[in-house]
Amino acid sequence: MTESRPAAESVRHTSDFVVELWRSVVGREFMVGEYGPAVEAELAAMRTEYEALVGAGRGWSLRTLFSTPDCDIVDFCEGFAPNRFGVRAAAEVEGFCRRFGIWLEVGGAHYNSMTPYLHPYAATAQRMTTIGIYNAILFWLNDTVGREKFAHLTDTEQRQAAATVERLCGLLDTRNAAMDPTPVEAATVEFLELLDGYADPDWLGRFLDSTIDHLRPAIRDQNARARGELLAVPDYIDLRAQVSGMYPAIALCEFGRDEYLPWHRIQAAGLDADLHRLRRLTVEIGALMNDVFSFEKECIHDRADFNLIPLCLLNNPGATLAEAVLDAGRIVRDRLTEFHRVRARIGRYCGELTDRSVVEPVSAHVEDLLGCVQATWVWQTTTLRYKGISIFNENHLA
């Protein structure tokens, strides 16, 4: 599937009938915030348009969607390499998960391969493995009872999933295990023991709070039908940032290096606003780029709509899937552009500072954030998790 013509034009020639179908099916506009039959009709039309695109062999290059004239994303990620302890850590994580019965036979190898990409600078195999165990616990939850799967669970299973999350949040808050732990709780207890042995205490408290903030919205049905409302795109992005798990992921960069950010000194140096913004951009790039890569897995196969592409479509009555894809690509691309700008500004400021107790940890963390952004692209083009029949060139199963 190639782009011999501009994407929007090439799609228009093969899917005009889908646009007409949308207009005849929906028949009226709806306002952001409402949920009703019009939303379901537009989602159905989106999936019909998707099938038309696949049938016509039309689609997009994600490289083109995410690149600018000044920065090609492939060139930007050139030279990136996963952590040197990755293979060893992946084997130990799989053994840990099998011991607790939380290894996913379908998908486990894919998510287990992500950790060395997301944390290329973890300093020791032990720290790499500990981070991998954390990710494995979250992925087990995501792929069994997470937001994509939650709607397909029975009422009993949904109540059990909600109870499991509340028990896990209580465990993370108090660090006291239940008398009758489930397998995932027992695994979390052992993870906490590993982490507590060699993590900075202040950092650990913030990290566990961040994990709780992630789990509560992540393990529930976030689709428009369940919410009873349609989110505006900025509100969706705010919620997606929490659901993504990227906040604890970038916090783990500090643990991986065993080098923690001295926020009081960073603030005194006047770097805190830019560093917070760079962290936020890293989170949003990771979450929203994943939305595009996983669109088919989530929205076509799992029938979900909590994803940037359908949100772009639903917030613009009359829009086509083709237009929503281009809009989602622009949103990711704008954040990549701002990431480059803020990162350069921090670099210039650090070059003027003489306080090495600020410059060194900030520079290391900026390098970690750069690695996270690069990993977001490199891992998702490498993993088989999103491969198959696709409207995106990079998702084609070779």
Side-chain angles (χ1 to χ4, degrees):
M1 204 181 294
T2 59
E3 289 184 298
S4 57
R5 290 172 290 178
E9 179 185 351
S10 67
V11 171
R12 190 175 298 117
H13 284 279
T14 59
S15 59
D16 283 349
F17 77 96
V18 177
V19 179
E20 293 305 315
L21 172 65
W22 179 90
R23 289 171 178 157
S24 65
V25 170
V26 176
R28 70 174 180 85
E29 292 187 355
F30 57 89
M31 299 298 292
V32 173
E34 291 184 358
Y35 169 77
V39 173
E40 289 296 332
E42 192 157 355
L43 290 171
M46 177 193 76
R47 294 183 180 109
T48 300
E49 184 179 351
Y50 170 82
E51 295 299 335
L53 290 170
V54 170
R58 298 296 178 92
W60 297 266
S61 159
L62 294 177
R63 178 179 185 175
T64 300
L65 282 176
F66 298 146
S67 295
T68 67
D70 296 329
C71 184
D72 180 280
I73 193 163
V74 173
D75 294 341
F76 170 64
C77 297
E78 186 177 4
F80 174 88
N83 190 277
R84 59 194 170 120
F85 302 115
V87 173
R88 173 180 167 184
E92 293 184 3
V93 169
E94 180 176 346
F96 175 96
C97 291
R98 289 189 181 281
R99 180 157 56 87
F100 286 99
I102 60 168
W103 177 254
L104 294 167
E105 295 296 343
V106 178
H110 298 320
Y111 73 65
N112 201 18
S113 72
M114 181 193 71
T115 300
Y117 283 82
L118 199 56
H119 297 280
Y121 303 111
T124 66
Q126 185 181 31
R127 290 180 182 272
M128 185 82 267
T129 300
T130 302
I131 294 171
I133 289 170
Y134 174 81
N135 288 337
I137 291 169
L138 293 190
F139 263 101
W140 182 87
L141 288 166
N142 179 76
D143 280 15
T144 56
V145 298
R147 60 186 173 84
E148 299 167 39
K149 307 297 183 184
F150 201 92
H152 304 291
L153 302 177
T154 66
D155 289 345
T156 298
E157 289 170 335
Q158 288 184 356
R159 287 193 295 272
Q160 290 172 342
T164 295
V165 169
E166 284 309 309
R167 283 166 60 114
L168 278 174
C169 289
L171 169 59
L172 294 170
D173 184 40
T174 65
R175 303 184 212 176
N176 293 323
M179 295 297 294
D180 56 341
T182 62
V184 71
E185 288 177 88
T188 303
V189 168
E190 186 160 324
F191 162 74
L192 289 174
E193 291 172 352
L194 288 171
L195 198 62
D196 196 44
Y198 48 101
D200 176 80
D202 291 338
W203 171 90
L204 181 56
R206 294 192 299 271
F207 168 73
L208 296 179
D209 288 344
S210 179
T211 301
I212 292 170
D213 290 341
H214 157 67
L215 282 175
R216 287 202 167 109
I219 311 303
R220 57 165 290 188
D221 187 351
Q222 293 287 5
N223 292 311
R225 180 197 298 254
R227 296 181 62 83
E229 64 177 353
L230 176 64
L231 293 169
V233 170
D235 295 331
Y236 167 77
I237 292 172
D238 286 343
L239 180 56
R240 183 71 177 94
Q242 288 293 347
V243 168
S244 71
M246 282 297 294
Y247 281 117
I250 64 174
L252 281 166
C253 293
E254 298 175 68
F255 169 79
R257 284 187 186 262
D258 195 24
E259 187 168 2
Y260 303 94
L261 291 168
W263 280 108
H264 60 292
R265 291 200 294 273
I266 292 170
Q267 184 176 16
L271 275 170
D272 55 315
D274 273 346
L275 190 55
H276 279 301
R277 182 58 185 164
L278 198 68
R279 285 160 64 94
R280 172 71 183 199
L281 288 166
T282 302
V283 167
E284 291 186 358
I285 291 166
L288 302 178
M289 192 184 289
N290 175 256
D291 273 5
V292 181
F293 271 98
S294 64
F295 165 71
E296 287 148 318
K297 177 180 178 294
E298 295 178 1
C299 303
I300 303 302
H301 302 300
D302 282 341
R303 317 295 285 184
D305 59 63
F306 188 76
N307 179 288
L308 182 62
I309 291 175
L311 261 292
C312 286
L313 184 145
L314 293 170
N315 274 268
N316 293 281
T320 64
L321 172 59
E323 291 165 333
V325 167
L326 296 176
D327 198 19
R330 176 192 57 78
I331 289 171
V332 174
R333 194 167 58 246
D334 287 349
R335 280 156 177 77
L336 284 165
T337 298
E338 187 181 355
F339 180 91
H340 300 319
R341 186 168 63 247
V342 177
R343 174 175 162 245
R345 188 162 63 234
I346 292 174
R348 289 193 299 271
Y349 199 1
C350 282
E352 298 170 358
L353 292 176
T354 58
D355 186 350
R356 306 311 298 173
S357 68
V358 171
V359 171
E360 291 177 4
V362 167
S363 298
H365 195 63
V366 169
E367 185 178 35
D368 284 328
L369 298 179
L370 172 63
C372 285
V373 171
Q374 292 173 322
T376 298
W377 170 261
V378 175
W379 179 75
Q380 290 183 134
T381 57
T382 302
T383 181
L384 296 177
R385 184 173 174 85
Y386 311 114
K387 296 291 192 289
I389 297 172
S390 179
I391 57 174
F392 300 122
N393 295 350
E394 290 80 359
N395 278 0
H396 290 172
L397 185 61

